Amino acid sequence: MANSDQIVLLDFFPSVFGIRVRLALAAKGVEYEGKEEDLTGGKSSLLLKMNPVHKKIPVLIHNGKPICESLIIVEYIDEVWKDRCPLLPSDPYQKAQAKFWADFIDKMVYPCSKKLWTAKGAEHEASKKEFLDRIKLLEGELKSYPYFGGESLGFLDIAFLPFYSRFYTFEAFGNFSIEAECPKLVAWGKRCMEEEFVSRSLPHPHKMYDLVVEFTKKVGI
């Protein structure tokens, strides 16, 4: 792409979905202008204009054209800057599997992970079990490879890495050890953090925990 391309990312620092896009852009070495949305104080007119359907971040604005929904944005980034660090497999079946498990993260892992700090009592215990059961399923997809993408970090790794920065928060609110339950998954996260673009893009786990604690106090949980 031309150096004159204008790339803007509408984002919100703690968002796992925004982090995905930041990781993909960093993996490709794409420079962009980040615009932080203060979602606690209302949504900007730019966000409402660029994503009038869902009115959510992240939104990637490429030469004035908006792309919405994190996994779609990551795939878009991979296609546009395809000459740099491919993320999705070229094999159609492997590509379909990567997309399937990324969708599993959004539909099956994310909802119960949120309940670890929003639910109480029996619902909290049920969410804890669901969360651990589901990340164990996901862990199985690592097989004997160092990454979900096989020998190199790819699309599915980027889809789940933002959750790795919340592992400390999940453990603190859920009163369990992810390393005890899913040692391969924790080893995978540590391996990914050895990549400079990953360690630069992921928020510190303790910062994420502090933000969640602040949020729960604010909403009275």
Side-chain angles (χ1 to χ4, degrees), residues 94 144 157 200 202:
Q94 291 178 355
S144 59
D157 301 286
R200 176 165 44 94
L202 283 188

Side-chain angles (χ1 to χ4, degrees), residues 169-186:
T169 303
F170 298 150
E171 291 176 325
F173 278 90
N175 192 28
F176 56 74
S177 165
I178 294 179
E179 188 164 20
E181 300 283 348
C182 302
K184 283 177 63 177
L185 207 53
V186 171

Side-chain angles (χ1 to χ4, degrees), residues 74-217:
V74 172
E75 186 172 359
Y76 177 86
I77 292 168
D78 196 35
E79 289 181 1
V80 173
W81 291 277
K82 56 186 174 185
D83 57 329
R84 311 181 196 175
C85 181
L87 301 177
L88 274 162
S90 57
D91 177 78
Y93 178 75
Q94 291 178 355
K95 183 184 294 186
Q97 288 297 101
K99 289 183 179 183
F100 171 87
W101 285 104
D103 185 66
F104 173 85
I105 292 166
D106 283 2
K107 291 178 180 174
M108 303 297 286
V109 176
Y110 177 67
C112 58
S113 75
K114 279 184 67 178
K115 289 181 181 178
L116 290 174
W117 60 77
T118 59
K120 294 182 179 180
E123 186 184 8
H124 180 265
E125 288 303 308
S127 297
K128 184 195 305 189
K129 183 180 186 306
E130 281 182 356
F131 175 76
L132 290 172
D133 286 347
R134 289 169 183 181
I135 63 171
K136 284 175 185 177
L137 272 177
L138 187 63
E139 182 185 50
E141 283 305 294
L142 277 169
K143 299 182 172 66
S144 59
Y145 294 112
Y147 305 100
F148 286 109
E151 296 298 330
S152 59
L153 195 149
F155 181 82
L156 185 52
D157 301 286
I158 284 176
F160 192 60
L161 265 170
F163 291 83
Y164 177 72
S165 67
R166 292 193 179 194
F167 274 15
Y168 176 79
T169 303
F170 298 150
E171 291 176 325
F173 278 90
N175 192 28
F176 56 74
S177 165
I178 294 179
E179 188 164 20
E181 300 283 348
C182 302
K184 283 177 63 177
L185 207 53
V186 171
W188 159 84
K190 291 177 180 177
R191 191 177 302 116
C192 290
M193 287 293 286
E194 293 173 4
E195 295 281 350
E196 192 272 337
F197 83 89
V198 174
S199 60
R200 176 165 44 94
S201 301
L202 283 188
H204 192 282
H206 290 177
K207 185 170 186 178
M208 294 301 295
Y209 172 76
D210 290 342
L211 287 168
V212 171
V213 170
E214 184 181 341
F215 169 78
T216 58
K217 288 179 180 177

Side-chain angles (χ1 to χ4, degrees), residues 2-112:
N3 292 330
S4 59
D5 277 1
Q6 294 182 331
I7 304 158
V8 177
L9 176 62
L10 305 185
D11 198 4
F12 181 54
F13 173 76
S15 167
V16 292
F17 305 109
I19 296 169
R20 280 178 179 166
V21 180
R22 280 176 257 157
L23 281 165
L25 290 166
K28 298 280 187 175
V30 176
E31 295 185 2
Y32 64 96
E33 177 188 357
K35 288 185 180 289
E36 185 79 1
E37 290 284 330
D38 181 10
L39 300 182
T40 60
K43 299 174 181 181
S44 72
S45 57
L46 181 60
L47 174 59
L48 297 176
K49 178 183 176 183
M50 291 295 160
N51 190 0
V53 177
H54 295 301
K55 303 177 178 63
K56 294 179 179 179
I57 58 91
V59 180
L60 186 73
I61 308 170
H62 186 197
N63 292 333
K65 297 177 180 179
I67 304 95
C68 306
E69 297 296 298
S70 64
L71 294 177
I72 293 172
I73 298 172
V74 172
E75 186 172 359
Y76 177 86
I77 292 168
D78 196 35
E79 289 181 1
V80 173
W81 291 277
K82 56 186 174 185
D83 57 329
R84 311 181 196 175
C85 181
L87 301 177
L88 274 162
S90 57
D91 177 78
Y93 178 75
Q94 291 178 355
K95 183 184 294 186
Q97 288 297 101
K99 289 183 179 183
F100 171 87
W101 285 104
D103 185 66
F104 173 85
I105 292 166
D106 283 2
K107 291 178 180 174
M108 303 297 286
V109 176
Y110 177 67
C112 58

